[in-house]
């Protein structure tokens, strides 16, 4: 288990509790007022122009939770416990950039049993429909930020995981193909179309690629555009 934890640390897993205004148990983010307060703390921390910018940046950071989960699924045929009560966001205030880590209270992983394709479908549904979508929809409702922006913030890191990190893993190609081409929309929530697949531009190999939406990073105190920002291409 220790070797697996060490591998996940590079994907922003932590086993340490950190005392910070931006450290929070994920279950609290299901409460609207807690979410409002947390997004306001992010806005102040990163110098965001408004709550929409803070919301977008939060989901860009939160995307590493799906990255951790899917790394374990594809590399080890293991499923992490993604219950809201099992996870906290941990922030090290001594760091200049806000790059939070994720701590699991119970890090035991459930091993694949039975048919892998059925198991994978269950894993994807548990991740997106049961965990990511409630967080994402709450943020969109509170801040009015487009769900397209939020989903693309997640998509770019999932693409990175499978195209850069997991290239040599046995199930990487078929898992990635399933996620971007075969997984139906209902595995992600109340969707008729898979919300990740629309952002994958296979004819470009997804690189250099450009985003379809702007994540608003230029509206933080750093005032920097992402290299794939559509605003850069349209200026």
């Amino acid at each position: 288990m220790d070797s697996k934890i060490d591998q996940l640390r590079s994907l922003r897993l932590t086993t340490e509790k950190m005392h910070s205004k931006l450290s929070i148990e994920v279950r609290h983010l299901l409460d609207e007022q807690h979410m409002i307060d947390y997004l306001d703390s992010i806005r102040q921390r990163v110098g965001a122009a408004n709550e929409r910018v803070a919301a977008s940046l939060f989901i860009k950071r939160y995307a590493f939770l799906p990255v951790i989960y899917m790394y374990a699924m594809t590399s080890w045929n293991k499923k992490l416990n993604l219950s809201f009560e099992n996870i906290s966001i941990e922030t090290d205030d001594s760091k200049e950039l806000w790059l939070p880590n994720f701590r699991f209270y119970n890090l035991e992983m459930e091993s694949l049993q039975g048919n892998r394709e059925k198991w994978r479908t269950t894993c994807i549904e548990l991740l997106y429909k049961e965990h990511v979508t409630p967080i994402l929809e709450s943020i969109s409702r509170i801040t009015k930020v487009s769900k397209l922006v939020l989903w693309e913030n997640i998509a770019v890191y999932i693409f990175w995981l499978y195209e850069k990190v997991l290239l040599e893993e046995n199930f990487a190609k078929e898992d990635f193909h399933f996620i971007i081409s075969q997984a139906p929309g209902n595995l992600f929530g109340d969707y008729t179309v898979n919300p990740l697949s629309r952002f994958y531009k296979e004819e470009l190999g997804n690189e250099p690629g450009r985003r379809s939406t702007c994540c608003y990073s230029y509206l933080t105190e750093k005032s920097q555009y992402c290299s794939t920002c559509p605003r850069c291409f349209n200026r």
Side-chain angles (χ1 to χ4, degrees), residues 1-233:
M1 176 63 82
D2 287 345
S3 63
K4 286 181 169 56
I5 291 174
D6 287 341
Q7 289 180 59
L8 294 178
R9 287 186 193 279
S10 66
L11 301 174
R12 300 186 191 169
L13 177 85
T14 187
T15 55
E16 300 176 39
K17 181 175 178 59
M18 301 177 187
H19 297 283
S20 166
K21 192 175 183 179
L22 287 171
S23 293
I24 189 171
E25 295 178 17
V26 171
R27 64 186 178 89
H28 291 311
L29 296 179
L30 298 176
D31 176 81
E32 184 169 300
Q33 189 57 55
H34 274 96
M35 179 68 84
I36 290 171
D37 293 343
Y38 191 68
L39 291 175
D40 188 59
S41 295
I42 294 172
R43 181 188 60 77
Q44 295 177 51
R45 174 69 170 81
V46 303
N50 52 53
E51 62 183 5
R52 285 195 311 155
V53 178
S56 178
L57 185 64
F58 170 63
I59 292 298
K60 287 187 76 171
R61 301 295 188 257
Y62 204 78
F64 272 81
L65 182 62
V67 164
I68 290 169
Y69 179 88
M70 297 184 77
Y71 184 99
M73 183 193 83
T74 295
S75 293
W76 309 320
N77 288 320
K78 299 283 190 180
K79 178 162 64 70
L80 284 159
N81 178 354
L82 276 183
S83 67
F84 295 109
E85 294 77 15
N86 192 43
I87 304 166
S88 64
I89 299 170
E90 303 292 342
T91 294
D92 184 349
D93 285 335
S94 69
K95 305 292 186 181
E96 181 180 359
L97 294 177
W98 181 56
L99 296 172
N101 295 309
F102 297 91
R103 181 165 68 101
F104 288 73
Y105 297 107
N106 179 1
L107 250 177
E108 292 182 10
M109 303 180 197
E110 180 183 316
S111 298
L112 161 67
Q113 294 183 358
N115 180 279
R116 190 179 187 278
E117 291 185 3
K118 290 182 179 179
W119 175 82
R120 179 180 62 196
T121 296
T122 299
C123 288
I124 296 300
E125 185 173 30
L126 286 172
L127 169 60
Y128 292 106
K129 182 178 180 178
E130 303 298 332
H131 189 103
V132 171
T133 291
I135 296 288
L136 186 148
E137 291 189 343
S138 174
I139 286 177
S140 181
R141 183 176 63 252
I142 290 169
T143 67
K144 311 305 180 188
V145 66
S146 169
K147 291 180 189 176
L148 290 178
V149 172
L150 302 182
W151 275 115
E152 190 164 19
N153 286 354
I154 293 171
V156 294
Y157 287 107
I158 298 304
F159 301 161
W160 165 79
L161 174 68
Y162 281 96
E163 293 183 322
K164 302 295 185 184
V165 180
L166 293 176
L167 281 175
E168 304 303 321
E169 297 296 331
N170 290 336
F171 295 105
K173 287 185 178 179
E174 62 183 79
D175 285 356
F176 190 38
H177 180 69
F178 177 77
I179 292 160
I180 63 173
S181 299
Q182 296 178 317
N186 61 13
L187 294 185
F188 296 82
D190 189 18
Y191 294 94
T192 56
V193 177
N194 177 332
L196 298 182
S197 62
R198 67 181 297 154
F199 299 113
Y200 190 73
K201 304 171 181 65
E202 191 167 8
E203 70 278 7
L204 298 177
N206 220 55
E207 191 177 14
R210 80 176 69 169
R211 286 181 57 118
S212 300
T213 65
C214 174
C215 71
Y216 309 131
S217 288
Y218 77 101
L219 291 174
T220 65
E221 62 184 12
K222 295 295 182 182
S223 301
Q224 293 179 338
Y225 289 91
C226 302
S227 61
T228 57
C229 180
R231 291 176 178 270
C232 293
F233 291 93

